[in-house]
Amino acid sequence: MFDFRSIQKESGTEFAFKKGDYRAFDPPDHVYPEHSDRIGVDGFMFAFLHTADERQAEIGNLLSSHAISREPCSATDWDKVGDFIQTNIEPNLPKNSDANSIHKLFATTATELTLRPFWHGVLIDLAILIGKSLVEQQVQYNPVWELDHIPLTTVSSSNLPVLRLQSGNQEQEAGRSGSDLETALSEAVNTDPEIAGDWDRWEEVVTSTAAKLGVPVPRKLPDATDLFIENAKPEGVLISPVKEMQLFFYQSLHRKYGFGPDVNSPPFSLGDILRPGLSWSWSNHPGL
């Protein structure tokens, strides 16, 4: 069980950062929500949602000291944040542990590499910040923050803040079944959500599906992500920024100190979370 107070107990050695550059996030109960009681869970949720300006100032200082925008908002900005994570990520091992010894430890023993405590604070702050970016950029899906305390089939981790994306036209669409083409395309994107991020493939799917049904190809191609979210009613699609950051951080740790990415593995880009589509190579988002 990770205790956020351990960040303050770290030695004054620099690791990737100078001491004092950054005051890390520390939730009221000092632990992740899955280890909290009800009061602690609510406290974590409040800190996550209502200290955004304070946390943005802290993480902004850290990012700007590494020549990254203090307020990343675009996918390209977040690519740079992701590159920063992959370059600087550190395991919870003594400073004098070189990359070769860490790689050997990771490859030849059952030791599970964990994050240096400092990085848990960075993880939460970046989750707060990318959650803000998602709310601003996905406004057409009526994003709503809520507490994930009910078992759902979408990506979740017990009692974490999650962002629910819903259809932008739920009231208008409530009684409409849609055309045969829309129904078929919805089935296609729900079967293979990755096509939502590949325009050429999606165009081929729309064209071939229309031909099979004997209907004309729409002048404007339907939006694959819209169809996916429409089909996810009434629950909508959930994104857990904390869980996504945990996945990105730990896979970055593996790529740096483990065997590295396979030559055929897809690009590892944090900015993809803000790009069109439903799946990211490091994520267990429901689109995968």
Side-chain angles (χ1 to χ4, degrees), residues 18-195:
K18 294 179 181 178
K19 185 181 180 181
D21 276 354
Y22 167 72
R23 182 175 59 85
F25 177 88
D26 184 10
D29 214 27
H30 311 299
V31 293
Y32 281 102
E34 58 261 39
H35 303 300
S36 293
D37 58 17
R38 182 77 255 168
I39 294 176
V41 168
D42 291 341
F44 189 101
M45 180 80 166
F46 184 90
F48 187 91
L49 296 180
H50 298 288
T51 63
D53 291 342
E54 173 190 341
R55 298 318 312 162
Q56 184 168 325
E58 287 291 338
I59 197 67
N61 291 337
L62 182 61
L63 295 176
S64 63
S65 71
H66 288 263
I68 300 172
S69 171
R70 296 181 60 90
E71 299 182 21
C73 54
S74 69
T76 301
D77 288 342
W78 281 102
D79 283 339
K80 293 178 181 178
V81 176
D83 291 344
F84 159 75
I85 294 168
Q86 294 179 71
T87 300
N88 294 286
I89 196 81
E90 299 163 298
N92 192 24
L93 294 170
K95 183 185 178 184
N96 59 2
S97 302
D98 59 53
N100 288 334
S101 63
I102 296 171
H103 175 89
K104 185 176 180 180
L105 180 68
F106 186 83
T108 61
T109 74
T111 301
E112 179 182 356
L113 289 183
T114 57
L115 291 172
R116 173 192 166 197
F118 168 89
W119 283 95
H120 285 275
V122 177
L123 186 157
I124 297 298
D125 278 346
L126 290 179
I128 292 171
L129 206 54
I130 206 166
K132 178 181 178 182
S133 292
L134 284 165
V135 168
E136 293 172 350
Q137 296 199 19
Q138 305 297 336
V139 65
Q140 72 273 27
Y141 299 125
N142 299 322
V144 177
W145 284 108
E146 58 187 58
L147 187 63
D148 179 21
H149 59 274
I150 302 173
L152 296 169
T153 57
T154 52
V155 61
S156 63
S157 182
S158 178
N159 295 320
L160 285 172
V162 291
L163 193 62
R164 184 186 297 277
L165 303 184
Q166 308 168 90
S167 165
N169 301 299
Q170 285 194 35
E171 292 183 3
Q172 297 176 10
E173 302 286 343
R176 188 170 68 84
S177 61
S179 68
D180 290 342
L181 179 60
E182 283 184 345
T183 300
L185 292 177
S186 293
E187 292 175 357
V189 74
N190 278 274
T191 300
D192 183 12
E194 291 191 15
I195 59 177

Side-chain angles (χ1 to χ4, degrees), residues 243-259:
K243 188 65 175 179
E244 298 299 345
M245 283 297 175
Q246 288 173 335
L247 289 164
F248 190 90
F249 273 53
Y250 276 96
Q251 289 195 38
S252 294
L253 196 65
H254 180 274
R255 290 165 74 96
K256 183 173 180 179
Y257 296 107
F259 296 100

